[in-house]
Amino acid sequence: MKAAISVNAEGPEGVRFKDVAAPTPGPDEILVQVRATALNRADLLQTMGLYPAPAGVPADIPGLEYAGEVIGRGARVTRWKVGDRVMGLVAGGAWAEQLVTHEREAIAMPENLSFADAAALPEAFSTAFDALVLQAGVSVGSEVLIHAVASGVGTAALQVCALFGAKVIGTGRNAQKLERATTLGLERSVLVKDGAFAARVKQLTAGRGVDVALDLVGGNWVPETIDALAPKGTLMLVGLVAGGTAEVPLRSVLAKRLRVIGTALRSRTLEEKIVVARAFEQRLAPAFAHGQLKPVIDAVVPMQELPAALARLAANDSFGKLVLTW
């Protein structure tokens, strides 16, 4: 099979297409013909040597999400048959024409979606749903702050909040992207120019602050985010685009009785990942089938254009997901 290989931590310029051996499914695994995948910042970091793949995952084939067809299965597999359309998350290897995954991690594709549409869903919506609903307990009436609301996870989080009845304030550094987010239902936004946004967030919430903040930025945004939280609020730290260190106002954390939760999907155990996959299939997939949730796609391009797509991601020029098809 063909695969996109990340060579010598050279970044997007170091990606090469090569013929490699196809994987063989284990007893509880399915073999998937990958029709489409989508880019994530973790992929970009991996090509730069900054986010190594976990043990047991192809070290030189990035790619965290896929949509495709089952073309083989292990001896104990019962959930799937050859020809079934599936999508899902993997810890790596989705930049290849074929991959293997545990049968219980795969998610049935909604019938109304194309492979390109489906490939844009697993990482962004699983991350948003897991962080906001399964961990932070977002529900009807919750006030939620979403940083980088025009990103892949940000646009997914905006829709997840609407589905569960929460109210959103979105932040961003690009006015045009914030304007585009209004088409997804964003009614309140804060254009962040100088790193300050807490005062405006509290103004928009009658001085109270938000119940939950989904922080995809980290770094020096963390103190402002803590300031923007209401008493007993929750900071869900998902991304570190602005850096991996921050000066945390601990007095505020104590005085407001805040929860600060770091979360990641890639490093979880198999059983933990299966829990998220099953919750996604049961609680989110029907919403895609009924049009309540929709993939947000910046562009769909052939896999051969992967280096250019990575460069676009690195430049923060995209709105939503960049999808690649074989």
Side-chain angles (χ1 to χ4, degrees), residues 44-68:
L44 178 63
L45 293 174
Q46 185 170 337
T47 68
M48 300 165 66
L50 301 176
Y51 194 2
V57 176
D60 57 351
I61 306 177
L64 302 180
E65 56 192 325
Y66 68 91

Side-chain angles (χ1 to χ4, degrees), residues 15-35:
V15 174
R16 303 285 187 270
F17 290 92
K18 296 183 179 180
D19 289 319
V20 300
T24 301
D28 301 304
E29 294 178 325
I30 54 174
L31 177 65
V32 178
Q33 185 73 36
V34 178
R35 300 298 184 185

Side-chain angles (χ1 to χ4, degrees), residues 67-79:
E69 298 164 310
V70 177
I71 59 172
R73 59 184 195 164
R76 292 199 294 258
V77 170
T78 58
R79 294 193 73 238

Side-chain angles (χ1 to χ4, degrees), residues 148-233:
V149 72
S151 66
V153 175
T155 55
L158 176 58
Q159 295 184 67
V160 168
C161 284
L163 183 68
F164 286 89
K167 298 175 287 185
V168 171
I169 300 172
T171 71
R173 291 178 286 189
N174 183 303
Q176 288 73 32
K177 287 186 178 183
L178 288 176
E179 180 62 29
R180 289 183 66 181
T182 63
T183 64
L184 297 174
L186 181 65
E187 296 180 348
R188 298 176 296 171
S189 63
V190 179
L191 179 62
V192 181
K193 294 182 178 180
D194 56 3
F197 52 83
R200 178 58 177 156
V201 169
K202 286 189 281 189
Q203 183 181 36
L204 290 170
T205 55
R208 179 176 175 273
V210 294
D211 301 298
V212 177
L214 185 68
D215 188 355
L216 310 176
V217 181
N220 58 8
W221 285 48
V222 170
E224 280 284 305
T225 303
I226 288 174
D227 190 16
L229 284 167
K232 300 179 73 173

Side-chain angles (χ1 to χ4, degrees), residues 23-319:
T24 301
D28 301 304
E29 294 178 325
I30 54 174
L31 177 65
V32 178
Q33 185 73 36
V34 178
R35 300 298 184 185
T37 184
L39 293 186
N40 297 285
R41 196 157 295 275
D43 301 323
L44 178 63
L45 293 174
Q46 185 170 337
T47 68
M48 300 165 66
L50 301 176
Y51 194 2
V57 176
D60 57 351
I61 306 177
L64 302 180
E65 56 192 325
Y66 68 91
E69 298 164 310
V70 177
I71 59 172
R73 59 184 195 164
R76 292 199 294 258
V77 170
T78 58
R79 294 193 73 238
W80 309 104
K81 64 182 184 300
V82 171
D84 284 344
R85 302 196 318 157
V86 294
M87 62 185 186
L89 287 174
V90 288
W95 287 6
E97 289 183 308
Q98 297 176 20
L99 59 79
V100 293
T101 187
H102 194 284
E103 65 162 338
R104 294 170 64 201
E105 283 192 271
I107 299 168
M109 274 181 54
E111 293 183 1
N112 59 318
L113 297 185
S114 68
F115 288 119
D117 287 337
L121 305 182
E123 190 275 341
F125 280 92
S126 292
T127 298
F129 171 64
D130 173 69
L132 292 172
V133 179
L134 300 184
Q135 295 194 62
V138 164
S139 60
V140 175
S142 298
E143 288 275 11
V144 181
L145 177 66
I146 301 174
H147 288 327
V149 72
S151 66
V153 175
T155 55
L158 176 58
Q159 295 184 67
V160 168
C161 284
L163 183 68
F164 286 89
K167 298 175 287 185
V168 171
I169 300 172
T171 71
R173 291 178 286 189
N174 183 303
Q176 288 73 32
K177 287 186 178 183
L178 288 176
E179 180 62 29
R180 289 183 66 181
T182 63
T183 64
L184 297 174
L186 181 65
E187 296 180 348
R188 298 176 296 171
S189 63
V190 179
L191 179 62
V192 181
K193 294 182 178 180
D194 56 3
F197 52 83
R200 178 58 177 156
V201 169
K202 286 189 281 189
Q203 183 181 36
L204 290 170
T205 55
R208 179 176 175 273
V210 294
D211 301 298
V212 177
L214 185 68
D215 188 355
L216 310 176
V217 181
N220 58 8
W221 285 48
V222 170
E224 280 284 305
T225 303
I226 288 174
D227 190 16
L229 284 167
K232 300 179 73 173
T234 300
L235 168 57
M236 295 298 310
L237 185 60
V238 178
L240 302 174
V241 176
T245 59
E247 190 170 309
V248 179
L250 295 177
R251 286 187 176 84
S252 293
V253 174
L254 294 177
K256 293 199 285 187
R257 292 170 291 162
L258 304 180
R259 293 193 302 164
V260 179
I261 302 174
T263 184
L265 290 173
R266 191 182 195 186
S267 58
R268 295 187 191 183
T269 65
L270 173 61
E271 288 303 319
E272 289 175 311
K273 293 176 181 179
I274 287 171
V275 168
V276 176
R278 300 280 57 79
F280 185 111
E281 189 169 79
Q282 294 164 12
R283 300 178 66 182
L284 287 194
F288 290 107
H290 297 143
Q292 297 166 287
L293 297 176
K294 298 179 180 179
V296 181
I297 297 175
D298 181 79
V300 179
V301 299
M303 197 69 184
Q304 289 69 25
E305 296 182 19
L306 173 58
L310 283 169
R312 179 170 175 79
L313 179 66
N316 294 316
D317 289 336
S318 54
F319 180 88

